[in-house]
Structure formats: structure tokens, C-alpha cells
Amino acid sequence: MTRSTYEQVERPSLKGGARPAPTTSGQRRRKPAFTARRGLVIAAYMAPAALFVAVFIYYPMLRGSQMAFRHWNLTDLTDTSWVGFGNFQAIFTDPAWSTVLSNTALWVFASIVPQFVIGFAIALWLRRRFRFRGLYQALVFFPWAISGFLIGILFRWMFNSEFGVVNDLLEKAGLIDEPIAWLADPKMAMIAVIVANIWYGVTFFSIMILAALQSIPNDLYEAAELDGAGKVRTLFQVTIPYIRMTLALTVLLRVIWIFNFPDIIFGMTGGGPNNETHIVTTWMITITQQGDYGKASALGLIVVAVLLVFSVFYLLATREKKGAHS
């Protein structure tokens, strides 16, 4: 083979241009330089969303924060004088405050524990392979798509003392002799709204925990089986330790939501009877409906402060989870 033939084989000609320079695997594509024009384009795309958030979120928050330190009542708008911490003092000295506070703690704790336990059990069951598993998953996850207020109305009918299905089932089972006035008795009403919230929130734990369970490698279960570990030991030494951060994050997130979730209570009792089923958020809405915006705004700031504390714990837990995976 002659030299000219070798050059024709090894260096084929390119039509209409020069031969491209060779590239190496270590070379990186250069990022386009950030210019003022690119910054203006980015700002133009972000402007509508930023304006929407500023007008409908941050501005009302600032106005509400200002109302919390003023006398702001719809019955007398001529007097919006500065009262400092007077609205906060009115909240803490209100006779209903102790009941609202204890109801809120009971509402969160008595809801979160059964939701977690039942949701965990359902997630473990749905992780197994069986016929019509997809159908069962759809039935379990369906309640999460329904409005909380609508769930409250549904359970108000179910717990009705005259034609409610709950009393009917209890009577047929021989557990009660006469209908129970669930929503007329303060203690029974609180139990009823908690039961409704448990039913509604189980779905969230089932979804989150099932997603975490599906990320566990089967090799761990096979190794535990070879070591002779039973189901209970495998649960507490393999399953729970592997997904513990997901469980902690799910519980923290659900605590935040339950604390700030008045929908079911308003749908079932509206805070009654005699304001005995109020939690902090439902009481705040009731005060707003009464026209005392100053007191309601002060209560809203208290709610925001509590939620910020839980949010800090959530962010710290999230950072710890990212550090564990890195």
C-alpha cells in the first residue's frame, strides 16, 4: 500500500469543513457564561410566580401579623389602635384556652399513634405479593384523595344518634342497649372526631411506609432467614432499622399536618358541643367568624411559631438522612 493510499484510508475527507479537533474523555463541555441578558430572561420567567406568592401569601402574612398587635374588630373598625401584646394576653386568659390546648394535644397524640401502627401493618401486608394486590392498594389509598371536610360530613352522618350506622352496628353486635349521642356529648364527640381522623390519616402512613419497604434489598431478608431470624426479629432488626429515618420524617410531617388540620372537626362538630371539641386552628377560625381579627391573628402567630419549631426538627432530620446516604 502506497503512502497516498494510506492517507486516503486513515484520513477521510470531510465535506464542506475542516477536520474536527480530537476530544478526550477528560474534557468537559464549558458552561455558557452568565450574562445580564440571561439574568433578565430568568427573572422574567420567575416574576409571575414571585408576584403571585408575594400578593397572596407574604402580604396577607404581614397584614395578619400587624393585626395581631392592634385592636381589630369588625364591630368597630373606627378603633384600630395599637394594643401591643393585649391580644395574646386575651388568648391566654380566655377560659376556653386550657380546653383548646388540651384538646389539641389529645388530637395530635391520639391520632398519630394509631395512624402509624395501622398504616405500618397495612404497608407490611401490601408489600407481599398476592392476587388483586393492586386493587387493594387502590382501595387503601383512595381516602387520601377525598377532602377532609367531606370526610367530616360523612362521619357526622355515621355518628348520628338517630340514624347513624355506628349506633346501628353496635346495637346489632349487642355492645350497647340504646343509641349513643356521639356528637352531643363532649367526651364522645372528641372520640368521634379522632376516630375519623385516624381513618383518614392511615392512608398517608401506608403510602409512605410501603414506598420505603419496597426499597429494602431482598438480600437482607435472605441473610436474616439464613441466620434463623423469625418474623418479629426480622422486623425489629432489619426492617425498622433500615427505614427508621423515613419513619421519623413521616411522623414529623404528619404531626405538622394534624396540628394544622381543622377540616374534619369543622365538618363533624364545628367545635361543639359548647366549644368542647375545638383545637387551636378551629378556635382561630371561630374567632375570625366572630369578627375579632386581632385576637385571631395573634392566635395565628402562635400556630405559626409552633409549626416553625416542628419544621426545624423536620429539616434537621432531613439533613441527617441526606448525610447518612452520602
Side-chain angles (χ1 to χ4, degrees):
M1 181 181 292
T2 62
R3 181 178 179 86
S4 59
T5 307
Y6 176 81
E7 290 177 352
Q8 290 177 2
V9 173
E10 292 297 318
R11 298 192 306 173
S13 60
L14 297 175
K15 295 182 179 180
R19 184 178 182 181
T23 58
T24 61
S25 58
Q27 276 186 320
R28 295 181 180 178
R29 182 177 296 178
R30 294 181 60 185
K31 295 182 178 180
F34 184 83
T35 61
R37 183 176 181 179
R38 285 178 58 84
L40 290 176
V41 171
I42 294 174
Y45 279 113
M46 294 179 60
L51 182 63
F52 183 87
V53 172
V55 171
F56 292 101
I57 295 180
Y58 292 118
Y59 177 73
M61 287 178 60
L62 293 175
R63 292 290 296 175
S65 301
Q66 182 186 16
M67 289 181 183
F69 301 96
R70 291 182 177 275
H71 178 273
W72 203 288
N73 199 307
L74 291 182
T75 59
D76 185 15
L77 292 177
T78 59
D79 181 17
T80 57
S81 58
W82 182 269
V83 296
F85 291 96
N87 289 320
F88 295 90
Q89 184 179 0
I91 291 172
F92 297 141
T93 57
D94 194 301
W97 171 245
S98 59
T99 302
V100 170
L101 201 60
S102 60
N103 285 347
T104 304
L106 179 63
W107 168 254
V108 174
F109 182 78
S111 297
I112 199 74
V113 175
Q115 284 181 6
F116 176 79
V117 174
I118 300 173
F120 202 131
I122 293 176
L124 289 173
W125 175 59
L126 291 176
R127 189 179 185 274
R128 301 165 54 193
R129 295 187 178 275
F130 54 89
R131 291 186 64 185
F132 305 113
R133 185 178 68 163
L135 176 61
Y136 282 107
Q137 288 180 349
L139 293 175
V140 170
F141 299 161
F142 175 72
W144 194 246
I146 305 176
S147 166
F149 184 77
L150 184 60
I151 295 295
I153 296 176
L154 174 64
F155 272 87
R156 184 176 66 187
W157 292 341
M158 294 174 61
F159 280 100
N160 188 278
S161 59
E162 297 179 1
F163 53 82
V165 66
V166 174
N167 280 335
D168 185 57
L169 292 175
L170 293 176
E171 287 180 354
K172 289 181 178 179
L175 299 177
I176 59 175
D177 297 326
E178 59 182 11
I180 299 175
W182 290 98
L183 304 181
D185 185 285
K187 293 182 180 179
M188 291 299 171
M190 199 65 198
I191 293 175
V193 296
I194 289 174
V195 168
N197 194 34
I198 291 172
W199 181 86
Y200 182 68
V202 162
T203 298
F204 174 76
F205 278 102
S206 300
I207 295 172
M208 299 298 292
I209 297 175
L210 179 60
L213 290 175
Q214 291 175 342
S215 67
I216 302 177
N218 290 326
D219 297 344
L220 296 178
Y221 290 111
E222 293 174 359
E225 185 177 357
L226 291 175
D227 290 340
K231 293 183 178 180
V232 176
R233 184 179 175 186
T234 303
L235 174 65
F236 286 97
Q237 294 189 0
V238 177
T239 303
I240 294 179
Y242 194 90
I243 63 173
R244 66 182 185 278
M245 287 307 303
T246 301
L247 297 178
L249 292 174
T250 305
V251 170
L252 277 173
L253 188 61
R254 189 65 186 139
V255 166
I256 294 172
W257 287 353
I258 293 177
F259 182 85
N260 194 34
F261 185 62
D263 305 36
I264 287 179
I265 294 179
F266 250 93
M268 291 184 66
T269 65
N274 196 23
N275 297 327
E276 290 295 328
T277 58
H278 269 311
I279 60 174
V280 174
T281 48
T282 58
W283 193 41
M284 178 182 65
I285 296 174
T286 301
I287 294 174
T288 304
Q289 292 174 344
Q290 294 172 354
D292 195 346
Y293 281 24
K295 187 176 179 180
S297 299
L299 190 58
L301 287 182
I302 296 174
V303 172
V304 170
V306 175
L307 293 179
L308 282 176
V309 173
F310 283 111
S311 299
V312 168
F313 283 112
Y314 180 81
L315 292 175
L316 291 176
T318 306
R319 182 179 300 177
E320 183 179 348
K321 181 179 180 180
K322 291 180 179 178
H325 287 290
S326 62

